[in-house]
Amino acid sequence: MTKLPDVRKKYLADFAAFSGNGGSDVPPWLVELRSEAIEHFNRQGFPGSRDEQWRLTNFSRLKETDFCLANGDRPPLNTDEVRKHLLTAGSDQRLVFVNGRYSEGALQEHVARYARPQDNPFTALGTAFMSDGAFVHIPANVVLSEPIQLLFLTTGAAGPTVVHPRCLVLVEESGAASVVETHIGMTDGSYWSNVVTEAVVQDNAQLQVYRIQREGGEASHTATTQSYQGRDSSFDLTTVELGSILSRHDINAVLDGPGAECRLYGLSQLQGRQHVDHHTTIEHAQPHCNSWEYFNGIYDERSRGVFNGRIIVQQGAQLTDSKQTNNNLLLSENARADSQPQLEIYADDVKCTHGATLGWTGGRRNDALVVDGHAGCRQDRASK
């Protein structure tokens, strides 16, 4: 048997303890799902610099930090501090999670069907340790006039902890809703928040998700947002990255019904040594679908932004209209932005465009480059 790296052994041991101490009192289907997920993580492990989809982000702080799974204790919180992050004081359309804990479960039919553990090692780890989570169910023909807030708070602990928040949003046929997903750090200490969100938008339904990440200054934040759409549906995602020292967000959308529309908006504003990595994939699986993608970044001091956007137009997905734009602004000579927009087209009657720009507020200190789809800032002039 191949000897496993110590970091992988550690999470396998944590999973064994988790499964036998409270994590075993769950339905058989969830036991099986967790076991499959930890096996996927075991095979994949943490991504490294040789993995093409991960090479621009260094995950060594996750590998080298001994994170402990946050327990079910809910430490006392300053009510005034929590209230600052609530949308409206009187609304009852709100769920608040502390260290990833709150709800009573999710639907076997949908959970982990779209954000598959075999596709992403962090999704696999989050599925293996899945416990509580938020399940938002909008029945057919129900239209909500007010947004639903999902507020995830992470508190301090004696040592580094890891939490695995989970969200499943299901909007049935002709339903409509807005969800605000907020991730807040209540401590400046080291912790890791590993989030998985699945959004299912059925025929003629509409869903808007507004996502705000304001983790603590020494936090690491990894996330997968996976959406799946039916005929004539509409899905909008707006994500804002402000916190954490290390952030990686994989956003994957599948348009699997004619007439579906998807809009992805992203804004990152970083400073210090913050690092954000957005990887997006929009798959046009059916004809007559539209998608728009706009990601902007503002980077100061030694911060760095990475954007990798991929549009896939499957065979038969004719009359696709897809646009992708990534704009970045550097406020410091030491800041950096990398951009790699990609098109993968297997149909011939489509309109697809992509582009990346980089601006530098200083003089001629650096060259702004867009080479082979990569936008970056470097001190020496490029040569071929």
Side-chain angles (χ1 to χ4, degrees):
M1 180 179 294
T2 303
K3 184 178 180 180
L4 298 175
D6 289 344
V7 65
R8 210 175 305 186
K9 283 184 178 180
K10 178 250 190 301
Y11 284 102
L12 291 176
D14 287 350
F15 178 78
F18 168 75
S19 299
N21 183 22
S24 58
D25 188 20
V26 295
W29 66 266
L30 184 52
V31 173
E32 182 179 358
L33 177 61
R34 286 171 169 171
S35 298
E36 292 175 354
I38 198 65
E39 283 302 315
H40 286 302
F41 175 76
N42 181 16
R43 286 192 289 270
Q44 299 175 68
F46 282 96
S49 59
R50 295 184 179 180
D51 298 309
E52 176 62 26
Q53 295 300 313
W54 306 90
R55 63 184 179 83
L56 295 179
T57 298
N58 186 347
F59 294 100
S60 60
R61 67 183 295 117
L62 298 184
K63 300 177 186 179
E64 297 168 1
T65 303
D66 187 14
F67 292 103
C68 296
L69 190 66
N71 57 37
D73 297 336
R74 294 172 173 81
L77 292 173
N78 185 316
T79 306
D80 292 334
E81 286 295 315
V82 175
R83 188 177 292 114
K84 291 192 305 184
H85 304 295
L86 301 179
L87 293 180
T88 54
S91 174
D92 59 356
Q93 296 187 158
R94 175 192 308 127
L95 296 176
V96 179
F97 298 77
V98 180
N99 293 337
R101 299 299 183 96
Y102 180 83
S103 79
E104 298 179 356
L107 288 180
Q108 178 182 359
E109 179 183 358
H110 293 286
V111 69
R113 175 182 172 185
Y114 309 98
R116 305 187 309 166
Q118 60 265 42
D119 295 338
N120 184 310
F122 297 123
T123 302
L125 199 63
T127 302
F129 288 97
M130 180 170 51
S131 181
D132 291 346
F135 175 41
V136 177
H137 178 204
I138 310 299
N141 302 305
V142 172
V143 177
L144 297 186
S145 59
E146 294 186 8
I148 298 171
Q149 183 179 15
L150 306 178
L151 177 57
F152 295 89
L153 305 174
T154 304
T155 64
T161 59
V162 56
V163 297
H164 300 282
R166 190 89 187 197
C167 306
L168 171 61
V169 182
L170 170 62
V171 185
E172 293 187 344
E173 184 175 354
S174 299
S178 297
V179 173
V180 180
E181 180 187 334
T182 311
H183 298 269
I184 303 292
M186 307 296 286
T187 174
D188 291 328
S190 175
Y191 65 89
W192 174 19
S193 180
N194 181 38
V195 187
V196 179
T197 299
E198 295 173 283
V200 184
V201 191
Q202 296 186 346
D203 294 353
N204 201 43
Q206 300 178 29
L207 175 62
Q208 294 83 39
V209 175
Y210 303 91
R211 190 180 192 278
I212 303 171
Q213 187 268 104
R214 299 191 66 173
E215 304 281 13
E218 291 299 318
S220 298
H221 184 93
T222 53
T224 297
T225 299
Q226 177 77 56
S227 62
Y228 181 87
Q229 296 179 239
R231 176 187 293 270
D232 296 322
S233 63
S234 175
F235 174 70
D236 292 10
L237 170 66
T238 301
T239 179
V240 179
E241 301 277 344
L242 301 172
S244 78
I245 189 68
L246 171 66
S247 178
R248 163 80 181 217
H249 190 185
D250 287 79
I251 304 170
N252 308 307
V254 178
L255 286 66
D256 201 22
E261 293 190 345
C262 174
R263 301 171 186 84
L264 304 181
Y265 305 99
L267 173 64
S268 303
Q269 184 176 344
L270 306 185
Q271 58 187 352
R273 293 183 176 273
Q274 288 181 285
H275 179 109
V276 63
D277 185 344
H278 281 111
H279 264 60
T280 70
T281 301
I282 300 179
E283 179 182 354
H284 288 257
Q286 297 293 334
H288 297 275
C289 293
N290 300 325
S291 67
W292 298 269
E293 192 171 359
Y294 303 96
F295 277 74
N296 297 329
I298 303 172
Y299 306 109
D300 200 0
E301 299 175 334
R302 293 183 176 274
S303 62
R304 181 181 182 184
V306 175
F307 173 80
N308 184 298
R310 184 180 176 204
I311 297 172
I312 304 173
V313 181
Q314 297 290 10
Q315 185 175 7
Q318 304 294 354
L319 299 175
T320 288
D321 189 346
S322 184
K323 299 177 178 64
Q324 180 190 96
T325 303
N326 176 225
N327 298 316
N328 299 289
L329 178 63
L330 305 184
L331 304 182
S332 164
E333 63 182 19
N334 294 313
R336 177 171 174 175
D338 296 272
S339 183
Q340 187 175 10
Q342 303 174 59
L343 298 176
E344 191 173 323
I345 301 173
Y346 302 99
D348 52 15
D349 188 3
V350 303
K351 291 192 300 182
C352 296
T353 62
H354 65 161
T357 65
L358 185 145
W360 157 241
T361 59
R364 298 179 58 83
R365 174 65 176 83
N366 293 310
D367 294 327
L369 303 173
V370 180
V371 179
D372 296 332
H374 297 267
C377 200
R378 57 173 60 172
Q379 297 180 11
D380 57 324
R381 188 166 301 276
S383 61
K384 286 203 170 185

